[in-house]
Amino acid sequence: MDSQTSQSSPAPEPPRTFQVDLRGLVDLLSHHLYSSPKVYLRELLQNAVDAVTARRAVEPGAPARVRLYANGADGAGGAALRVEDSGIGLTESDVHELLATIGRSSKRAEGLQEARSDFLGQFGIGLLACFVVAERIRVVSRSARTPQAPPVEWTARDDGSYTVRTLPDEARPEPGTTVHLVARAGAAEWLAPERVLSLARDFGSLLPYDVRMGEDEVTDLPAPWDRPYASPANRRVALARHCQGLFGFTPLDSIDLSVPVAGIRGVAYVLPSAVSPAQRAGHRVHLKGMLLTERAEQLLPDWAFFVRCVLDTDSLRPTASREALYEDETLAAVRDALGERIRSWLTGLAAGDPERLEAFLAVHHLGVKSLARHDPEMLRTMLPWLPFETTDGRLSLEEFAQRHRVVHFTRTVEEYRQVAPIASAQGIGVINGGYTYDSELVEALPSVRPGTVVAELDADTVTAHLDAVDPAEELALAGFLAAARATLDPLGCDVVLRAFHPLSVPALHLDDRAARHEQARAQAEAQADDLWAGILGSLRGSAPRSRLVLNHLNPLVRRISSLPEPELIGTATESLYGQALLMAQRPLRPADSALLNRAFIGLLEWATHGEEGRG
């Protein structure tokens, strides 16, 4: 028999268990899982409230109390905190199984699994958060499920060691749990009485049980949005006061966010000033009364950036750190439901309170436009209200469409500034679509207002609406026009002659995006090395050139067109070109800036020479 086959396989090693470095775990909690040491108090309140909930699940009439005592110092002189509850309590076997096993939660215990959704905590690591501020944790507990069992004491230190012992009945006569903390070095401030009370009220103001620190109430129920008020005006005043205390601003308005079917209760506060759509304000979210986060960013649709909200929910799922919301189908459904509440508020204002709607839109029309882009019904509702910049003044789309058979618009602010004065003088109505969302909404107008004709206003359309000059007169100015065109040809600009109003405008510079892109490409090509110049050159297209439209009705243009010297015509043409650019408030290219300087100096020289000749 082969020697290799005769050898038996080695026996497998027995499984090993993980060894937990508690100091390292505490460091992980304090520096990575939790954002601040203050969460220790939230975890203590959470455990106490969950213990009361567990007891009341089996004893509906059981007391529901949580008491906090911050003594400032324990017997040894260190800062200390004591938290007592009338909850379900623990037996000695519970202590060994639950408190001494990281990740094990009493919410998973047999008999309570079906009620687990009623608990605040789910992960079995809450008590460890106390080691962020404490060097020693002492728990004294008596079980309500086995009241004949004696009280038990569990004492743990941050080095990972712990002791367990039973105590006489008088140490804890009634069921429930008391947690004692002794501050670690440098963390005494977190156990100071005023700090504990402030944190307790911040985290626990909406908790459903009797929570106090000494004689000071921690809870403040019912929540401001659930309280009865004598009138809607009184409600608005009370909520405005609540917002000022919570967020630091007086809201423009408030929106009820209660969605009972989704387990949501709360209010949204409308910001009093405009904010950028990119700015994502944090919202305050309470989970079953306990503050979960002040920075929930994914709670509302992106378009609702004009509100900050505070709410209490039974349905949303927290992350392991309990400082953010878990992104899942439930959160998506809640986000849609809250968005619908804000949308309903807007349509309600449009139907019954136009003054409040106008006050809101004066500040936050951008948010509503963002919503209306993808919501035809909202666009239809807001047609009489949303403001747009137009050649007729600041009007709604509905009013503008009633005035004009064709709704012309530009896609950029620069294009609007080029054509607005001239188009208005010719009787052409134009909407400035260059602001955020505006061109999208104008283009969507026919879908919600059948029969409306929408057309983008480009250089060709404007030129076509300007009056042509008599052919004989234009032929007489052929020499002037040739000199003017030769002057501007290096800039990619044509020169045309038209007659238009107002008479005070000597020249109009018109282009479109294709022409600007071609100009930018040509400029980049001129400044690039051989390789990039070749690449950019291959991209050269047949884009239309910009044009300088000279106003034949303007007296200055008439005088310039009669100049005899080609050089002087060129200088005057450059001056008209530069003035037209400045009127359109267009960003100047380096070539344009150079032209303006050259034209200015040329005019000075011409004026100086003219004075010398006259002298």
Side-chain angles (χ1 to χ4, degrees), residues 226 264 298 576:
D226 285 336
I264 299 290
Q298 70 273 48
L576 291 174

Side-chain angles (χ1 to χ4, degrees), residues 25 97-98 100-106 108 122-126 128:
L25 187 57
E97 181 181 0
L98 302 175
T101 305
I102 295 171
R104 182 71 60 84
S105 172
S106 62
R108 301 183 180 92
Q122 304 284 328
F123 298 98
I125 57 176
L128 287 179

